[in-house]
């Protein structure tokens, strides 16, 4: 039952937050008119995915947590890189 609830929650989160919402980072990126706007959209998307994987981590047990932790660390590196590009820009 918990797995079904988790699947429903993550499915709704993915659909509504990442894809269907007109204010999400993917929609904003598609409308970017310059490099700075595209970088800001990418940064927003990375932040959203970081939050998503934190939610996933709370639901995963055992060795799967280590995998999610590695993904979280990679998302953090993406945020740092994009932030650096925006600061330099």
């Amino acid at each position: 039952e918990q797995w079904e609830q988790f699947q429903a929650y993550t499915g709704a989160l993915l659909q509504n937050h990442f894809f269907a919402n007109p204010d999400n980072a993917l929609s904003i990126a598609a409308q970017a008119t310059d490099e700075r706007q595209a970088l800001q959209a990418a940064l927003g998307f990375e932040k959203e995915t970081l939050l998503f994987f934190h939610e996933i981590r709370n639901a995963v047990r055992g060795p799967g947590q280590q995998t999610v932790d590695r993904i979280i660390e990679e998302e953090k590196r993406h945020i740092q890189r994009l932030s650096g590009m925006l600061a330099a820009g």
Side-chain angles (χ1 to χ4, degrees), residues 1-7:
E1 183 177 328
Q2 287 179 335
W3 177 247
E4 289 175 9
Q5 289 175 351
F6 173 74
Q7 285 181 309

Side-chain angles (χ1 to χ4, degrees), residues 24-73:
N24 69 23
L26 293 176
S27 296
I28 294 169
Q31 298 171 14
T33 58
D34 61 28
E35 183 178 326
R36 183 164 189 81
Q37 285 180 345
L39 287 170
Q40 288 171 330
L43 182 59
F45 183 74
E46 292 296 338
K47 288 177 180 179
E48 289 174 4
T49 56
L50 180 61
L51 291 174
F52 175 76
F53 281 110
H54 273 288
E55 287 294 322
I56 295 290
R57 189 190 186 287
N58 293 333
V60 174
R61 299 289 178 252
Q65 278 186 337
Q66 293 173 343
T67 301
V68 176
D69 286 341
R70 286 193 302 271
I71 294 169
I72 288 171
E73 290 306 313

